[in-house]
Amino acid sequence: MNLDHFQADLAAVAQSPLHPWLTRLPAQLEQWSREQLHGELKGWLAAVKALPQLPADQVALTDTVSVNAAQVSSSAQQQIHGLLQQLMPWRKGPFQFHGVDIDTEWRSDYKWQRVAPHIGGLSGHVLDVGCGSGYHLWRMLEAGAEQVWGVDPGQLFMAQFLATRHFMPPELQARAHYFPLGIDDLGPLHCFDTVFSMGVLYHRRSPIDFLTQLHDCLKVGGRLVLETLVVDGDQQQVLVPGKTYAKMRNVWFIPSTAALLHWLERCRFKSARVVDESVTTVDEQRATPWMQGQSLADFLDPNDPTKTIEGYPAPRRAVIVCEK
């Protein structure tokens, strides 16, 4: 893979408040393409390239992000279905492309329904750190963002985003961007109107450093929307799991909401408030034909669903909104 795949996105960076990133971004992508490519990426990109070109007569950036042509042959539907199956597992969605429904592991629309009432309309340039397949990027455009930017090192996620963008009309393609990088690659850009970080904080070995990096992405007066796992407790309560939490190996710190608000204050965020807190259910995260591995039901104690298989409190997630 070479930088040709990113030319339109790099051009968009040059015309945006992100333009200082251009002093580092091309070299970062060059290094990524030389040293970090997944062994299956070539096949995933070939599947994306083989997707048929169809008119986007009906586009809905709603709970199911969908693109449909007025008329689609059964053979085209079968081709789309087979090619998108090559990009399994699909974890974040749901999507529908020309009559092909992708029932993803996560009903990411549930999360958006918890977030959206508390953010009002979006505007300007919006960043999603750890954006996965980019489902929420399309919802952010629906909410009024001018340009949306996703970063996530997951290369299968990138292929899924490219497949989704392939079906979108040109005016939406030009407003949604994805780089297979992490927040460490952004640096202190101080340029985004809103930054979202949903489902990332507990994967970071240093949560305070991560929150500081999110702060440095925002322009003065910008807003952070943070969604993460939490536990019960006071300002000093933080769960540090053993080798796994709900069978996830890379979970480091799960704070109480009181502790998280304290962290945000220490990282110079203002007016931090918890706007939602809810237990994750097996309706929201489950195995489907598009994600056939284990899911939440397998991660909980079969005799006590209020606990994980390891005996920790079952996943509960909070949404916090604050400003720079």
Side-chain angles (χ1 to χ4, degrees):
M1 185 172 184
N2 56 45
L3 293 193
D4 290 345
H5 289 81
F6 300 107
Q7 287 307 313
D9 298 304
L10 288 170
V13 171
Q15 298 170 20
S16 78
L18 285 70
H19 63 84
W21 194 12
L22 287 177
T23 61
R24 294 172 287 112
L25 180 56
Q28 289 170 331
L29 292 171
E30 285 278 11
Q31 182 180 11
W32 171 83
S33 67
R34 289 195 313 268
E35 302 176 5
Q36 300 178 40
L37 295 190
H38 191 287
E40 296 187 53
L41 180 60
K42 184 176 180 180
W44 296 332
L45 293 178
V48 173
K49 187 175 182 180
L51 289 168
Q53 296 283 350
L54 293 168
D57 296 319
Q58 300 171 343
V59 179
L61 305 183
T62 51
D63 287 350
T64 298
V65 171
S66 62
V67 182
N68 287 285
Q71 292 185 330
V72 185
S73 67
S74 59
S75 61
Q77 286 183 332
Q78 291 171 2
Q79 182 185 15
I80 292 168
H81 189 277
L83 290 167
L84 295 181
Q85 279 192 318
Q86 295 180 35
L87 305 182
M88 288 171 55
W90 285 78
R91 297 194 179 275
K92 306 295 176 69
F95 298 99
Q96 184 199 79
F97 302 121
H98 301 291
V100 176
D101 290 299
I102 302 180
D103 186 13
T104 49
E105 177 190 15
W106 281 88
R107 286 293 304 268
S108 302
D109 53 315
Y110 287 18
K111 182 178 294 188
W112 189 251
Q113 288 165 13
R114 295 193 295 270
V115 169
H118 307 288
I119 60 172
L122 296 175
S123 62
H125 292 261
V126 176
L127 172 68
D128 189 0
V129 176
C131 65
S133 63
Y135 169 87
H136 287 117
L137 295 175
W138 305 107
R139 304 307 304 271
M140 292 166 195
L141 286 178
E142 176 200 29
E146 176 186 342
Q147 296 276 330
V148 292
W149 306 86
V151 293
D152 195 305
Q155 295 176 38
L156 178 57
F157 283 146
M158 181 183 75
Q160 292 168 349
F161 168 80
L162 293 174
T164 303
R165 190 167 68 173
H166 165 86
F167 291 117
M168 293 290 173
E171 61 270 19
L172 288 178
Q173 291 182 7
R175 295 168 60 198
H177 315 280
Y178 185 118
F179 292 113
L181 303 170
I183 194 166
D184 296 334
D185 300 301
L186 270 72
L189 292 172
H190 305 291
C191 67
F192 290 100
D193 296 272
T194 304
V195 171
F196 287 81
S197 171
M198 300 190 288
V200 179
L201 180 67
Y202 47 88
H203 292 313
R204 302 295 294 186
R205 296 189 185 202
S206 177
I208 301 300
D209 288 342
F210 179 65
L211 293 175
T212 300
Q213 290 172 310
L214 296 176
H215 188 276
D216 288 344
C217 288
L218 286 163
K219 69 181 187 182
V220 175
R223 176 175 50 174
L224 172 67
V225 181
L226 178 67
E227 190 266 2
T228 189
L229 291 172
V230 294
V231 293
D232 283 327
D234 61 17
Q235 195 177 85
Q236 306 306 317
Q237 183 67 41
V238 180
L239 172 63
V240 183
K243 290 184 178 180
T244 63
Y245 170 85
K247 295 191 179 181
M248 292 185 288
R249 294 188 176 276
N250 58 339
V251 175
W252 297 95
F253 298 92
I254 305 178
S256 67
T257 52
L260 185 51
L261 291 173
H262 181 54
W263 292 358
L264 288 163
E265 182 181 6
R266 289 290 306 272
C267 294
R268 297 175 291 126
F269 284 99
K270 302 174 183 176
S271 304
R273 62 266 186 204
V274 179
V275 298
D276 186 85
E277 195 168 340
S278 58
V279 174
T280 305
T281 69
V282 293
D283 291 329
E284 183 172 358
Q285 184 189 11
R286 70 275 191 270
T288 76
W290 291 86
M291 201 302 292
Q292 298 175 355
Q294 291 190 334
S295 193
L296 180 59
D298 305 292
F299 307 154
L300 300 177
D301 184 331
N303 300 313
D304 184 358
T306 68
K307 293 183 173 18
T308 69
I309 198 74
E310 303 90 352
Y312 301 119
R316 186 154 51 92
R317 312 183 78 92
V319 178
I320 295 92
V321 179
C322 52
E323 285 79 39
K324 179 173 178 176

